[in-house]
Amino acid sequence: MLRLKPGHVDVGGVRLGNHLLLAAGILGTTGASLARVLASGAGGVVTKSIGPAPSDGHPGPCVVVLDDGLLNAMGLPNPSSDFVDEITSLKGKPVIVSIFGGTPGEFSEVAAWFADIAAGFELNLSCPHAEGYGAALGSDPEMVEACTRAVTRLGLPTWVKLTPNVADIASCGLAAEKGGAHAVVAINTLKAMRISTGLRMPVLGNRYGGLSGRAIFPVAVRCVYDLYEACSIPVIGCGGVSSADDVLEMMMAGASAVEIGTAVLDDPLVFREISEHLYGTGGEDAASLVGCAHE
Ligand code: SIN
């Protein structure tokens, strides 16, 4: 199999240990779990999304495990500004703080709390099931631009995580770029639902949730491909990645780095295992692969 040259990489203004990052939402709620994921071979980590006020999230059930994926409606539970203390010890490490807000001002307020600690920010403009947040803003390119600009003003690397639940993801990517984003991340979960035939009602407490895992990988590849065609800033792939070959495919579509989320639930050592297959001495420079499927 094709191998990549190992070592540090600079993506979207952030120096990463390798091309693989922990995606937001999994193992990202404590400093200890983030440190453990870094120690287990991730080149960077993205925290659970943090917002302007503490929240318990949606009522349960919040998760449905499926054959080829996971359906969640956590509802953006988070400790808000208390999370600053949780990750202070990780200052200097490649920790990207995922943030959300209901307005550009709220994005800027939350980002400012972490400005001394974060290696960068990832703006959650893409959660598909939180009223007034996430994709509610991120489906509107003007709002994407305004929220992005509100955070890039702080001068730290700013990535914008986009929703696939739109007709034209490239227009949202271009809006993030216009707002000064250093990278776009594609994709967050696909809005989805399951119904219990026994109970005759939706399984999730929130009714709607977001689908992640292997089932969404082809959608993520298509979105990365579309964004690479449209944007000049780096694209970071996310969605259903679970093997070294998936990482290479994402890169060929246009991803400069790749986030891994749901696969960590099945295998907490997934970063080490993917790295063992992905990297090797004498390996190819990743730059020659990124976007090669477009030529
Ligand atoms: C959640 O907390 O509900 C998931 C976050 C997301 O989908 O962005």
Side-chain angles (χ1 to χ4, degrees):
M1 197 189 89
L2 177 57
R3 300 249 176 178
L4 299 183
K5 199 195 297 177
H8 286 89
V9 285
D10 295 303
V11 178
V14 180
R15 170 145 278 221
L16 303 169
N18 58 47
H19 297 91
L20 311 176
L21 293 117
L22 176 73
I26 307 251
L27 293 178
T29 50
T30 70
S33 61
L34 290 162
R36 209 171 326 128
V37 176
L38 282 170
S40 79
V45 289
V46 185
T47 70
K48 176 80 183 143
S49 297
I50 303 297
S55 167
D56 292 334
H58 292 317
C62 292
V63 175
V64 186
V65 179
L66 305 168
D67 288 345
D68 218 13
L70 191 76
L71 185 55
N72 95 81
M74 300 303 295
L76 298 169
N78 80 98
S80 195
S81 57
D82 282 355
F83 195 64
V84 173
D85 291 341
E86 190 58 47
I87 59 164
T88 299
S89 63
L90 296 177
K91 184 174 169 149
K93 304 256 191 261
V95 176
I96 314 299
V97 179
S98 171
I99 60 173
F100 71 92
T103 61
E106 286 186 355
F107 269 96
S108 156
E109 177 194 347
V110 176
W113 299 334
F114 296 95
D116 287 341
I117 303 169
F121 296 112
E122 182 178 279
L123 312 194
N124 183 342
L125 282 161
S126 42
C127 175
H129 49 75
E131 213 178 315
Y133 296 111
L137 285 69
S139 309
D140 171 3
E142 280 181 21
M143 194 51 101
V144 171
E145 184 185 336
C147 292
T148 306
R149 183 160 292 123
V151 176
T152 53
R153 274 201 198 105
L154 298 176
L156 281 180
T158 303
W159 303 353
V160 178
K161 190 167 183 180
L162 300 171
T163 175
N165 303 299
V166 287
D168 178 16
I169 195 169
S171 63
C172 297
L174 284 169
E177 184 170 319
K178 213 164 148 200
H182 299 80
V184 285
V185 181
I187 53 177
N188 205 319
T189 55
L190 287 154
K191 191 170 185 178
M193 175 187 271
R194 289 301 299 268
I195 289 172
S196 160
T197 53
L199 297 174
R200 302 183 182 208
M201 60 188 286
V203 179
L204 291 168
N206 184 58
R207 298 183 296 150
Y208 300 102
L211 181 65
S212 61
R214 292 178 57 83
I216 73 165
F217 181 67
V219 180
V221 171
R222 188 269 299 169
C223 289
V224 168
Y225 191 94
D226 285 353
L227 287 162
Y228 184 84
E229 289 271 312
C231 297
S232 308
I233 53 177
V235 182
I236 296 167
C238 179
V241 174
S242 64
S243 69
D245 202 56
D246 291 346
V247 174
L248 294 172
E249 186 173 338
M250 276 285 196
M251 287 183 162
M252 290 179 186
S256 297
V258 170
E259 296 186 1
I260 301 174
T262 305
V264 179
L265 290 182
D266 289 335
D267 179 5
L269 299 178
V270 69
F271 291 100
R272 183 85 61 225
E273 274 151 26
I274 290 184
S275 293
E276 277 169 15
H277 290 97
L278 189 64
Y279 297 110
T281 38
E284 203 168 315
D285 192 340
S288 66
L289 271 194
V290 173
C292 72
H294 294 254
E295 287 154 12

